[in-house]
Amino acid sequence: MAPSGPGSVRRRCRRVLYWIPVVFISLLLGWSYYAYAIQLCIVSMENVGEQVVCLIAYHLLFAMFVWSYWKTIFTLPMNPSKEFHLSYAEKELLEREPRGEAHQEVLRRAAKDLPVYTRTMSGAIRYCDRCQLIKPDRCHHCSVCDKCILKMDHHCPWVNNCVGFSNYKFFLLFLAYSLLYCLFIAATDLQYFIKFWTNGLPDTQAKFHIMFLFFAAAMFSVSLSSLFGYHCWLVSKNKSTLEAFRSPVFRHGTDKNGFSLGFSKNMRQVFGDEKKYWLLPIFSSLGDGCSFPTCLVNQDPEQASTPAGLNSSLKNPENHQFPAKPLRESQSHLLTDSQSWTESSTNPGKGKAGMSNPALTMENET
């Protein structure tokens, strides 16, 4: 049995403290249920029809809110697959090589068959020393989780979890349903809130629940609407929060719209192709989180401009020499919607299907 030192005790204490925001939200949600369903609907509403309609609508929103919040909290963030981890021989070779060009050469050889498009600011292969792996595109190391998270957006203390590829849709639905929940409460509570100030309510404890319920719902509606609006903008541009603050760097340079394929395809990448699942906290996002379509391999008609640094041959899909399927099968159909990709038999650098690296191919061609 491993000894329990001061370090492990501190880690356990931190894990407990991380749950405080989640407990706070849960308690607030429990109180709001009591205040609205019991004190407002059952005690204060006199019209039976109004009671029934409000209770049915409220419970639908409450159920969707809780379901999406639960999925956001307890869906484990996805980590890079084994193919991105260095082999034992590569790790030993990397440890022997000094930092610099020789170090990068080892990483370039390891990444030659991986779907890696992005680089560091200096143009080097993105490598995580902590996890000892080559970072897939849009993957970042979370200092709180101490793991590399696929398509990491941010670490959210209110859900005590990393928001990334595996639960970003759930997080968006959580914001949407919590906003609708607060707006619905504020709208249906407003007339009773006005009665409170005009002394139109009987002097019971319900009047105080009604007052505080309206204040809480209105306050959270303002903050949630700005946060939800911001993430809707991110989805429309196919960006994460991290990418909005620091644009991804490709072989041709920094490109803030490098992953954007146009509004409709950006939406489908998060919510999936089947619209019946869009409003449900059921995973339907496209892809595997390790590879993403980029405007490097598909200049979408909805994109206004070509990324800086791309030569004229990339503007004409008939002339460029990128591999036929630079992405995994789960992502490649996003590209074939607007143009067809033909199999190229003249590409000697092509590896297994869906695993070629267009960024390195472009380097060889130029």
Side-chain angles (χ1 to χ4, degrees):
M1 187 174 179
S4 179
S8 61
V9 173
R10 280 196 298 270
R11 283 194 295 273
R12 278 197 287 267
C13 289
R14 279 200 300 267
R15 281 198 292 268
V16 172
L17 291 175
Y18 289 153
W19 283 101
I20 290 178
V22 177
V23 172
F24 172 75
I25 294 295
S26 301
L27 291 174
L28 189 63
L29 190 61
W31 167 77
S32 70
Y33 182 90
Y34 170 77
Y36 188 88
I38 307 298
Q39 296 295 338
L40 178 61
C41 290
I42 296 178
V43 175
S44 301
M45 289 183 181
E46 296 178 354
N47 188 301
V48 177
E50 184 184 10
Q51 280 184 335
V52 172
V53 172
C54 287
L55 283 172
I56 291 175
Y58 173 79
H59 280 90
L60 284 174
L61 287 173
F62 182 83
M64 297 306 294
F65 180 11
V66 172
W67 186 11
S68 56
Y69 189 45
W70 177 276
K71 292 286 284 186
T72 308
I73 295 172
F74 294 105
T75 300
L76 294 177
M78 286 181 63
N79 312 121
S81 54
K82 291 182 180 179
E83 60 193 329
F84 290 90
H85 290 260
L86 297 185
S87 64
Y88 180 77
E90 288 170 334
K91 289 178 186 177
E92 280 196 329
L93 190 58
L94 205 62
E95 290 173 0
R96 289 199 301 267
E97 296 292 348
R99 292 279 178 174
E101 185 57 34
H103 192 270
Q104 273 297 299
E105 184 57 34
V106 175
L107 294 178
R108 272 196 290 267
R109 287 199 300 268
K112 65 183 175 62
D113 290 327
L114 295 176
V116 178
Y117 296 79
T118 54
R119 299 289 187 269
T120 64
M121 293 298 293
S122 62
I125 299 290
R126 298 172 66 243
Y127 176 73
C128 180
D129 292 301
R130 184 79 173 175
C131 300
Q132 293 187 312
L133 56 83
I134 294 170
K135 292 181 182 179
D137 293 340
R138 317 185 82 176
C139 172
H140 297 275
H141 187 90
C142 176
S143 57
V144 179
C145 299
D146 197 25
K147 294 177 182 177
C148 280
I149 308 299
L150 294 180
K151 197 188 175 185
M152 179 178 172
D153 187 86
H154 68 289
H155 186 94
C156 181
W158 297 106
V159 300
N160 190 28
N161 199 2
C162 251
V163 177
F165 176 75
S166 61
N167 62 351
Y168 187 62
K169 178 193 172 184
F170 306 149
F171 178 74
L172 284 173
L173 292 178
F174 158 61
L175 292 180
Y177 286 122
S178 58
L179 176 59
L180 289 174
Y181 180 79
C182 292
L183 289 173
F184 175 80
I185 289 176
T188 52
D189 187 33
L190 178 60
Q191 59 175 316
Y192 298 93
F193 178 74
I194 294 173
K195 287 182 181 179
F196 171 84
W197 293 106
T198 57
N199 296 319
L201 287 178
D203 192 17
T204 62
Q205 71 174 47
K207 64 188 301 184
F208 296 102
H209 285 288
I210 289 170
M211 181 186 70
F212 288 117
L213 187 65
F214 180 82
F215 274 127
M219 180 184 66
F220 278 104
S221 295
V222 173
S223 58
L224 284 169
S225 60
S226 59
L227 184 59
F228 178 64
Y230 175 67
H231 278 277
C232 286
W233 176 80
L234 289 177
V235 171
S236 70
K237 298 296 183 181
N238 205 342
K239 294 181 181 180
S240 66
T241 299
L242 294 176
E243 290 165 353
F245 283 97
R246 188 175 62 186
S247 300
V249 180
F250 297 86
R251 289 293 302 167
H252 66 274
T254 302
D255 188 350
K256 64 180 181 180
N257 294 317
F259 291 107
S260 182
L261 302 173
F263 178 77
S264 60
K265 293 180 184 178
N266 294 342
M267 285 284 294
R268 285 162 53 197
Q269 202 170 93
V270 175
F271 290 96
D273 289 326
E274 299 189 58
K275 294 181 180 180
K276 62 183 179 181
Y277 295 126
W278 282 11
L279 300 180
L280 298 176
I282 298 171
F283 185 82
S284 58
S285 302
L286 299 181
D288 55 9
C290 292
S291 61
F292 299 89
T294 74
C295 57
L296 272 173
V297 295
N298 179 62
Q299 187 63 26
D300 194 274
E302 295 179 43
Q303 290 289 86
S305 60
T306 302
L310 287 181
N311 57 37
S312 59
S313 66
L314 296 184
K315 298 177 185 177
N316 186 352
E318 296 178 357
N319 293 336
H320 68 71
Q321 299 298 317
F322 281 129
K325 290 185 178 180
L327 301 166
R328 291 175 170 82
E329 292 296 332
S330 55
Q331 285 285 353
S332 61
H333 78 280
L334 281 176
L335 302 180
T336 58
D337 283 346
S338 59
Q339 67 185 58
S340 60
W341 288 76
T342 55
E343 193 70 22
S344 174
S345 60
T346 59
N347 186 0
K350 183 172 65 176
K352 54 186 177 179
M355 293 302 297
S356 300
N357 188 343
L360 295 181
T361 306
M362 189 168 85
E363 180 185 16
N364 294 334
E365 290 167 359
T366 56

